[in-house]
Amino acid sequence: MEWYIPAVHGFPSPPMDKVYVSKVFSFTPDYWNFINAKEVVKSGSGYCIRMEDGKECYQKENDNQLTYKIEHIYPDYSLYPELTKDTAYGFMSRGCPRGCDFCHVGAKEGRKTYKAADLSEFWKGQKNIVLLDPNLIACKEWKDILQQLIDSGAWVDFSQGVDIRLMTEEKTGMIKHIRTKNIHFAWDRYEDRNDILPKLKMFKELTGWDKRKLTVYVLVNFDTTIEQDLERIYTLRELGYWPYVMIYDKQHVKKRG
Ligand code: SF4
């Protein structure tokens, strides 16, 4: 298996048996060039999530879902040599019960968090682990997952939002024993203020971690006012967290004067 890059192969590129094309966002332009292959398979969120009757749905176009065997195969990290130098990437759980209006996870992976893999499926002693789970601590096997991460002794980056609303002292205690490089939470819906703030305070007190590894995503341009955006940013800073602003529908955002 190798990257299909016509500019590297020269033009016209040599014929390939099969070329897989993927993209994350539906608004990014499609690959414009001719693909010299017997078969081209397009998939990923950018191709498969569509609106139907005002609701997002995940279309399994051309029956091109990966099989169970491929989903669970050890990743071919040689495709990304720089990014994966001593770093493993993967999901231990999938899905999320929340169903936030601005998020694809429910349509793509389902409205329930389930355990998707043991760590050993994508990690073989690398120094760093980047987790991509959308709502890890909503998974009923959260204890097993956190224990595997503790036992790994690797530096872990919880790169997606860990659901702070579901945080408990027990979960915090286990996370504290993981060599955490960075943990990301989210305060997307302003109205969750009273659920989120006490949990953020509890997590900060119990871990004593520095804000450099405590990031909180802050969704803007969805349903909040600029005053609510600023309030979230200043409040998070006061609590000792690092606010990270995420702009919804960035390509159509209107400048506010
Ligand atoms: S909690 Fe996070 S993963 Fe779950 S639906 Fe909301 S934004 Fe998506």
Short mmCIF file of all heavy atoms in Angstrom, two decimals, residues 96 98-100 102-103 105 134-135 163 165 188, ligand 1:
data_model
loop_
_atom_site.label_atom_id
_atom_site.label_comp_id
_atom_site.label_asym_id
_atom_site.label_seq_id
_atom_site.Cartn_x
_atom_site.Cartn_y
_atom_site.Cartn_z
N CYS A 96 -21.69 8.54 20.88
CA CYS A 96 -21.97 9.49 21.96
C CYS A 96 -23.48 9.62 22.15
O CYS A 96 -24.21 9.77 21.17
CB CYS A 96 -21.37 10.85 21.63
SG CYS A 96 -21.74 12.09 22.89
N ARG A 98 -25.11 12.10 23.47
CA ARG A 98 -25.58 13.48 23.64
C ARG A 98 -26.40 14.02 22.47
O ARG A 98 -27.36 14.75 22.65
CB ARG A 98 -24.39 14.41 23.86
CG ARG A 98 -23.61 14.15 25.12
CD ARG A 98 -24.28 14.79 26.30
NE ARG A 98 -23.50 14.64 27.51
CZ ARG A 98 -23.98 14.89 28.72
NH1 ARG A 98 -25.23 15.29 28.86
NH2 ARG A 98 -23.22 14.74 29.77
N GLY A 99 -25.97 13.75 21.26
CA GLY A 99 -26.73 14.24 20.09
C GLY A 99 -26.74 15.75 19.94
O GLY A 99 -27.77 16.33 19.58
N CYS A 100 -25.63 16.41 20.21
CA CYS A 100 -25.57 17.87 20.04
C CYS A 100 -25.88 18.24 18.58
O CYS A 100 -25.40 17.56 17.66
CB CYS A 100 -24.20 18.41 20.43
SG CYS A 100 -23.72 18.02 22.12
N PHE A 102 -24.79 20.42 16.62
CA PHE A 102 -23.69 20.87 15.78
C PHE A 102 -22.68 19.76 15.50
O PHE A 102 -21.61 20.01 14.95
CB PHE A 102 -22.96 22.04 16.46
CG PHE A 102 -22.67 21.78 17.91
CD1 PHE A 102 -21.59 21.03 18.30
CD2 PHE A 102 -23.54 22.26 18.88
CE1 PHE A 102 -21.35 20.77 19.64
CE2 PHE A 102 -23.31 22.00 20.23
CZ PHE A 102 -22.21 21.25 20.61
N CYS A 103 -22.98 18.51 15.90
CA CYS A 103 -21.96 17.46 15.89
C CYS A 103 -22.38 16.26 15.03
O CYS A 103 -23.54 15.86 15.03
CB CYS A 103 -21.70 17.03 17.32
SG CYS A 103 -20.56 15.66 17.48
N VAL A 105 -21.12 13.14 15.34
CA VAL A 105 -20.82 11.83 15.93
C VAL A 105 -22.06 10.93 16.03
O VAL A 105 -21.99 9.74 15.70
CB VAL A 105 -20.14 12.00 17.32
CG1 VAL A 105 -20.03 10.66 18.03
CG2 VAL A 105 -18.76 12.61 17.15
N PRO A 134 -14.77 10.14 20.95
CA PRO A 134 -15.62 11.32 21.08
C PRO A 134 -16.18 11.53 22.49
O PRO A 134 -16.46 12.65 22.88
CB PRO A 134 -16.75 11.07 20.08
CG PRO A 134 -16.80 9.60 19.90
CD PRO A 134 -15.39 9.10 20.11
N ASN A 135 -16.42 10.44 23.23
CA ASN A 135 -16.98 10.62 24.59
C ASN A 135 -16.59 9.42 25.46
O ASN A 135 -17.44 8.62 25.87
CB ASN A 135 -18.51 10.79 24.55
CG ASN A 135 -19.03 11.38 25.84
OD1 ASN A 135 -18.37 11.31 26.88
ND2 ASN A 135 -20.20 11.97 25.80
N ASP A 163 -16.11 14.38 28.28
CA ASP A 163 -17.37 14.99 28.73
C ASP A 163 -17.30 15.33 30.22
O ASP A 163 -17.57 14.50 31.08
CB ASP A 163 -18.52 14.01 28.46
CG ASP A 163 -19.87 14.69 28.55
OD1 ASP A 163 -19.98 15.73 29.22
OD2 ASP A 163 -20.83 14.15 27.94
N ARG A 165 -19.21 16.89 32.06
CA ARG A 165 -20.48 16.74 32.79
C ARG A 165 -20.60 15.36 33.42
O ARG A 165 -21.33 15.16 34.37
CB ARG A 165 -21.66 17.00 31.83
CG ARG A 165 -21.72 18.44 31.33
CD ARG A 165 -22.57 18.59 30.09
NE ARG A 165 -21.93 17.94 28.93
CZ ARG A 165 -22.36 18.03 27.69
NH1 ARG A 165 -23.44 18.75 27.43
NH2 ARG A 165 -21.73 17.42 26.70
N ASP A 188 -19.51 23.91 25.16
CA ASP A 188 -20.08 24.32 23.88
C ASP A 188 -21.41 25.04 24.04
O ASP A 188 -21.70 26.00 23.35
CB ASP A 188 -20.29 23.09 22.98
CG ASP A 188 -18.97 22.47 22.57
OD1 ASP A 188 -17.98 23.21 22.41
OD2 ASP A 188 -18.92 21.24 22.40
S1 SF4 B 1 -20.95 15.59 23.54
FE1 SF4 B 1 -19.31 15.93 22.05
S2 SF4 B 1 -19.20 14.06 20.83
FE2 SF4 B 1 -21.13 14.02 21.93
S3 SF4 B 1 -22.63 14.86 20.46
FE3 SF4 B 1 -21.93 16.56 21.78
S4 SF4 B 1 -20.17 17.48 20.67
FE4 SF4 B 1 -20.57 15.44 19.76
#
